[in-house]
Amino acid sequence: EIVEFQKIVGSLIELVDQLAKAAESEKMKAIGARNLLKSIAKQREAQEQQLQALIAEKKMQLERYRIEYETLCKIEADQNEFIDQFIFQK
């Protein structure tokens, strides 16, 4: 009976060891997946910041172009007025 008991206990210990190894393997996979998700989140955050900076830069550029356009429109109006006055003087 002792030999049979030792065989059963040995089988049980072997089974527990296998389960422990499987649990450790799954734990490592979970840690890897969690780290990957954190990395992806950081990449997205960095990308979002870059896009926000690009948007701000483009808005500033748009404002410069708007001011330049308004200035050119005013110059055009002044030149047209000058041309009209010059034509009427002749």
Side-chain angles (χ1 to χ4, degrees), residues 13-29:
I13 289 173
E14 187 177 314
L15 180 61
V16 169
D17 284 343
Q18 289 175 358
L19 290 173
K21 287 178 186 177
E24 186 66 25
S25 175
E26 291 300 316
K27 177 182 169 185
M28 293 308 259
K29 285 181 188 178

Side-chain angles (χ1 to χ4, degrees), residues 57-88:
E57 180 183 328
K58 293 297 181 184
K59 282 182 178 179
M60 287 173 45
Q61 187 178 24
L62 177 63
E63 182 62 18
R64 284 194 305 271
Y65 287 154
R66 186 189 62 74
I67 291 169
E68 184 178 352
Y69 174 75
E70 288 175 359
T71 302
L72 290 173
C73 285
K74 186 175 180 183
I75 291 171
E76 180 186 24
D78 290 345
Q79 289 176 348
N80 285 335
E81 184 180 336
F82 175 77
I83 290 170
D84 289 343
Q85 286 179 1
F86 183 74
I87 289 174
F88 288 133

